[in-house]
Amino acid sequence: MDALRPGDPARIGGHRLLGRLGAGGMGVVYLGRTEAGALAAIKVILPEHAGDEDFRTRFRRETEAARQVDSPWAVPVTGADTESETPWLATEFVPGPTLSEVVARCGPLPTRSVHVLGRLLSRALTAVHGAGLVHRDVKPGNVLLTADGPRLIDFGIARAAEATALTATGLVVGTPGFLPPEQATGAGAGAGPEGDVFSLGCLLAYAATGRPPFGSGAVDALLYRTVHDEPDLAGVDDPALRALLGECLAKDPAARPAAADLDTRIAEDVPGDGASADWLPEDVARMIAERSAAMLALPDIEATVNTSATTPAPAPARRRFLTLAAGGAVALGAGTFAAVRLIGDEPDGRSGASPAGRRWVIGVHADLTGAQKAAGRAQERGVRLAVDRFNSRTDKPFTLAVKVLDDGGDPARSVRVAEEFARDRDVLAVIGPTGDAATGAALPAYDEAVLPLLTVSSLQISYPARVNAAFFQASPSYAALSMPIVNRLLLRPDVERLGVLIDRSGGQAAYQAGYATNLMTPSLTTGTTHPRVVPAGTSDLGPVIADLLGHRSDALFYAGDAAGGARAARALAATPFKGPSMAQHTAMRPEFLERAGEAAEGWEFIAPFTDAGGVSGEPGVPGAADFVTAHRKRFGAAPAAWSAEAYDVTGLVAQEVAALVGSATKGGAGPTGSPTATPSGGTSSGSTPSGDTPSAGTPSADGRPGRAALVAAIAASRYEGISRTYVFDEERQQLVGQEAHLYRAEGGRYRYLGPAPKPKS
């Protein structure tokens, strides 16, 4: 739980507000207490929706229907006001963790726990459907776990079954990965109770395996797999549970059992009155007990007071409690952050204070201990070098510091890292996260705080749209990278058909890269493709390679990880094939060279990162000499992949902050198109935005620019870095351009061949 913000109400409908539980597209959820002492979760609708008569009509109708839901396994409505200027809905507050929190921290649940979960949630859905509602967002985040069983929450996007006329045609309502095919196709208005059963099947599969049955990643890919692919139920070993999930996940709504039928078909005792959470593993029961114990401190909370920028922060003990109560804090056990590191104590004075005494922070949100720790460490180093360079200026208007938080590549930890950065008002912008899943998980927190986030290594094709558009994908997506792949492999006289091998072991990166390459080939060339998808863990790729060659493939593209790429290379080397072969950058690791051996020779790789002198060990790209020298001096090694890109985007941020500060100091507009030397080695021709609201864009008392103003400045910038030119698309704020880099495996190492060639027209 977070403290109330300036502008938040102190009371709503007889509830004294204690803090914020969260926020979403419909409104803000507060923790409140009635005068009788009962706790409630209160959803307050945003003004833009409250002023929409159609929305208010739906909200009124749904509130009345929700009051009729009578089940001990569905959180009851305790109060509402649908007619006030700011409509609100209150439900009983349950202090238990969400199913998504539990699985993220403790792993999949045992079979008995999944059976109990399924039986009780089926009863909750039976009550929902009996009240004429369709929940339409059954997902792990909307299920709370307590000692005596689960609780289904959040009817915020539920719809009365007969009242669909007011729903926009084609609107996809729900959470991708947990919604039924009939909603995934855009026909969400017509989804009925059968859709909730499908979503329950997805939720139970997630609880049993730790992953959604249709994967994760970009929304469009998730929706496609939901409609066309069979669910991945690997890891569900109980035959009865596996069969039941198969029925719930039937593509045809008519083939699914009703929620009421599930209750009678699941043969599992449910917790009785006063149960001690024996239906759950010990670590989960402990987590629930800790969360419940934290609530005991609530009666001692002082009267709610809205704080302003000049109000002293809460005392440390109180702040610790507020975080503990929300369940996202490091105090609750596993998944703690790495120590925060702030530069500022350098012996050579690189980070000395500016003449004005102003010191602000660039955040680094990285994977420093997980699967992508090499990339995360390289990016941290790039950020530090850019900050060093800025701080070495004698005329700097402020001093920069670096704050580093490690998410370990874990999406749940990534959310907590984002929340920590968002709360720190000295953080101007954040570079990261490192991976796709961590980025997707963190976006809501950054967007709500309007905190600029720039990633150089998260390459998903698309991300959910955000209200404040504070996210910048400063690297080509998998779709953009498919274009140089197709150009390299098919724009040659000896290639007519491209064999595309998509290895599910590579996760979403492999799926999206392979899918985009297959899709773009007929659009960019006269060639054709023969795609093959292999399940994760396939050890023998020989038959797949034989199939690709048997269908006259005269070039091969592998989308997957390094281990699978090595298997593909060895299988290909055992054939007479002599055509070009290429893999995506995710396979370009030492493991590929080690496992493939001589079979690796000649394989090429398209990568979104440049070589600044460290990837191949050869002289780096033009203009990077100073960067390489500084890197070697500070870190004792040449820069690795992704370091130059992080250096560049940090320079972009520093330049735009300096322009905003200069504009505020002079009382006029910032630069309007004339390139200026940047403080970290590139050039910028961005313009300082005008017209920000005081709360979003006006500098603070110490001259720190508003976050919204910085977001707008970054969006309008053009920056010449050492790795590429940075310009962002106005609509989606993705990097404009298809710049990529080409590498080849030669003599047991990776050789940099230069920028990937582009077609002549």
Side-chain angles (χ1 to χ4, degrees), residues 248-264:
C248 292
L249 297 174
K251 304 296 185 188
D252 181 4
R256 301 170 200 153
D261 295 336
L262 293 176
D263 180 17
T264 60

Side-chain angles (χ1 to χ4, degrees), residues 301-348:
I301 287 183
E302 304 163 359
T304 303
V305 177
N306 287 341
T307 60
S308 67
T310 58
T311 302
R318 172 128 172 252
R319 184 182 295 271
R320 280 196 298 273
F321 164 72
L322 290 176
T323 311
L324 177 67
V330 298
L332 287 182
T336 57
F337 302 148
V340 176
R341 291 172 284 176
L342 289 173
I343 67 171
D345 54 356
E346 302 295 339
D348 58 2

Side-chain angles (χ1 to χ4, degrees), residues 297-689:
L298 276 171
D300 298 325
I301 287 183
E302 304 163 359
T304 303
V305 177
N306 287 341
T307 60
S308 67
T310 58
T311 302
R318 172 128 172 252
R319 184 182 295 271
R320 280 196 298 273
F321 164 72
L322 290 176
T323 311
L324 177 67
V330 298
L332 287 182
T336 57
F337 302 148
V340 176
R341 291 172 284 176
L342 289 173
I343 67 171
D345 54 356
E346 302 295 339
D348 58 2
R350 281 193 298 260
S351 300
S354 66
R358 295 178 291 196
R359 180 174 177 271
W360 302 321
V361 176
I362 300 291
V364 179
H365 181 160
D367 176 1
L368 299 177
T369 54
Q372 293 182 278
K373 60 185 178 182
R377 189 177 302 112
Q379 291 175 33
E380 177 196 347
R381 290 179 170 184
V383 173
R384 290 188 181 278
L385 287 179
V387 167
D388 286 350
R389 181 151 187 164
F390 179 85
N391 288 340
S392 69
R393 291 178 49 183
T394 58
D395 62 341
K396 58 183 178 291
F398 51 86
T399 299
L400 288 176
V402 179
K403 178 177 180 178
V404 183
L405 293 177
D406 172 26
D407 66 20
D410 176 61
R413 284 176 62 178
S414 180
V415 172
R416 298 197 290 274
V417 166
E419 291 171 344
E420 166 65 19
F421 277 131
R423 285 191 293 266
D424 189 341
R425 297 307 303 172
D426 284 336
V427 175
L428 298 172
V430 175
I431 312 303
T434 311
D436 294 333
T439 300
L443 284 184
Y446 285 114
D447 187 73
E448 183 184 352
V450 202
L451 177 57
L453 178 70
L454 298 91
T455 181
V456 297
S457 56
S458 181
L459 313 181
Q460 280 190 186
I461 293 175
S462 64
Y463 295 87
R466 297 294 168 189
V467 174
N468 295 309
F471 173 58
F472 297 88
Q473 190 177 26
S475 191
S477 68
Y478 297 117
L481 287 175
S482 70
M483 299 179 190
I485 291 170
V486 172
N487 293 337
R488 178 70 174 178
L489 291 176
L490 282 154
L491 295 185
R492 55 177 78 195
D494 57 338
V495 174
E496 290 293 336
R497 173 167 292 189
L498 175 63
V500 180
L501 199 169
I502 303 173
D503 190 341
R504 288 284 197 177
S505 295
Q508 278 299 301
Y511 182 85
Q512 292 189 26
Y515 177 81
T517 299
N518 183 63
L519 185 68
M520 295 305 298
T521 295
S523 300
L524 298 175
T525 74
T526 58
T528 59
T529 62
H530 180 64
R532 281 293 305 271
V533 180
V534 297
T538 302
S539 58
D540 183 10
L541 293 181
V544 182
I545 294 294
D547 177 76
L548 292 173
L549 300 184
H551 283 81
R552 297 178 288 106
S553 299
D554 32 32
L556 176 68
F557 173 65
Y558 171 82
D561 59 9
R567 289 192 291 269
R570 291 197 305 271
L572 192 63
T575 73
F577 180 79
K578 300 299 180 184
S581 51
M582 177 178 285
Q584 68 179 131
H585 70 280
T586 52
M588 193 183 128
R589 298 186 178 183
E591 184 181 4
F592 174 83
L593 298 175
E594 295 165 3
R595 295 193 178 190
E598 294 183 0
E601 195 72 11
W603 273 70
E604 292 185 349
F605 301 83
I606 287 288
F609 49 78
T610 189
D611 183 55
V615 180
S616 66
E618 297 180 350
V621 295
D626 290 346
F627 166 71
V628 174
T629 299
H631 195 285
R632 288 185 179 277
K633 179 179 178 181
R634 176 153 193 198
F635 302 112
W642 302 113
S643 187
E645 286 74 17
Y647 177 85
D648 280 346
V649 295
T650 306
L652 186 160
V653 170
Q655 169 61 28
E656 296 306 323
V657 174
L660 288 170
V661 171
S663 175
T665 301
K666 296 175 183 178
T672 57
S674 56
T676 58
T678 70
S680 55
T683 61
S684 172
S685 60
S687 59
T688 301

